[in-house]
Amino acid sequence: MESLLELYRTCSIVSRSFSFCWRMREDCFCYDDDALKILPRPMPHQGATAFLQRAEFLQGAEREKFLRHFAFLVMHPFRRGSRTRPRQVVLGLLDTDGNIWYFRLTYQLEVQMDGGRVVYGTLQDISEFYRETAALRESLRHDAMTGLYAKTYVPQLINQILSLWGMKGQHHALLVLDLDHFKQVNDQLGHLIGDAVILDLALALKMGFRKQDVLGHIGGDEFVVFMPNVTEKEVIERCGQFRASVRRKLGEPPDEVQLTGSIGIAFAPEHGSEYRTLFAKADAALYEAKKRGRDGQVVYDDAFGQQRRGMVKDKTKTADYKELTEKPLDYIFRVVLHSQDTGLSVHLLLEIFAKYFHVQRAYVFWNIDGVYWPRLLYEYRARPEDAGFAAHNPEIRRRMWRRYRTGDYGRFTECADVWMLPPQTKQLFEKAGICAWLECAFMEGSAFLGGVGFDDTSGTHEWNRAEHEVLAAFANIMHRFLLGQIYYERTKNAGSIYF
């Protein structure tokens, strides 16, 4: 017994964990005193209820949430002879010097037959992990090259600010800007000079705009600026000053490059009330500035939007299908990661896939916490009347999941003709309007994270090698891209109390 106790104490110190039980009727904590070396402040044996009610080891909003949960544990009429499921809470505990140490509390409440309540728990020090996660979270927010906000974080931040400020009586501006003929800088002067120009442009943005403005680097020589609560006059003046600071000559003849910048401007609420709409319109205005000869700034007009939409449609008609089928990974990687608007590029690819492979629907989905009902992220429908993803009820998802097999190009579920399925399954898919399907999964080890797929609602479809290869390549790119986004979403709130 003594050797087991010694083993427990050693493991507790090594793992930085502390086990205890709280007996409510006796109003006491039971624990091994050696484990107190792990806690940032003393924990009494007696007077447990008063100690927890004071909650001097917490501060602010965390303390308020903790007290609400404490009251629930003490007062809720749990059934005798029952146990709650194990739960986890991340707590920021204050030491006697006011420093914060982060602990993960895992606990379970047992209600005994005589009505006594006992909470069994373990506290594990995760301070180092928490600080590493916070540093990673911060790195995901900022672009490594320029120090400005990163492409994946800009939409979320701007939407938060728009929601905070509101639209009533407020005037905001979104600017999309880039350098004119930047490709010439890289081609004639080299990529090192090109990188220096990008860094110089980022510094010019920091100096030329206000402290409260959001500055983002969305790729290459392309940037966005969001100016909350601003007048149109100030926007125009600052854009003019910024373009003047960018205007210069680089290099010597015959490799001399004239450096200038173009800016597209959209205003909220006139042109939209959320980032995606504002970006699309500011981007259309930027395109118009390029058409007018560059080195200019243009405020969005509805006529520009019509021209821009026409241009996007033309892209789908003139897509390089040969490159798509012969080098799908290179083609998809270039379109997704070199785009100003990732959402637009993914929708464009889905439309290209659907038209080229003659399917009625192409989609991307993410699996939510391992359940069968997924979150639809992107979708293209050739026929709006198709039931589409709304038809994918949990039972359909389960039956599609059962047909997943690992092949030469990835993990697929497919069916060329639902009439080949058992009668009940066939009726289920027919009712949903699905005649055939092909879907490739995102896998992280043995975990099913989501996938991309084709539906054919018009008839049977024999899926060929090219379709498997393209879908697998697209799944590979989207898997990595979405995994980064989801990881950021799940770590941005690390350290808060959740129940």
Side-chain angles (χ1 to χ4, degrees), residues 120-173:
Y120 301 95
T122 300
L123 280 163
Q124 184 176 19
D125 184 359
I126 60 168
S127 300
E128 185 176 349
F129 169 77
Y130 179 86
R131 293 187 179 102
E132 289 176 354
T133 301
L136 175 61
R137 184 172 65 247
E138 190 62 24
S139 70
L140 289 171
R141 290 181 176 180
H142 291 87
D143 174 63
M145 180 180 184
T146 63
L148 305 182
Y149 287 114
K151 175 181 179 180
T152 54
Y153 183 61
V154 164
Q156 176 192 339
L157 179 59
I158 292 178
N159 280 330
Q160 285 178 352
I161 296 173
L162 284 167
S163 176
L164 180 66
W165 279 92
M167 293 292 109
K168 189 174 182 180
Q170 304 292 343
H171 201 65
H172 316 294

Side-chain angles (χ1 to χ4, degrees), residues 170-195:
Q170 304 292 343
H171 201 65
H172 316 294
L174 182 72
L175 320 178
V176 178
L177 51 100
D178 70 6
L179 295 172
D180 301 320
H181 303 300
F182 179 68
K183 188 174 184 297
Q184 292 181 9
V185 176
N186 284 328
D187 292 346
Q188 296 174 210
L189 304 178
H191 287 278
L192 289 178
I193 298 298
D195 290 347

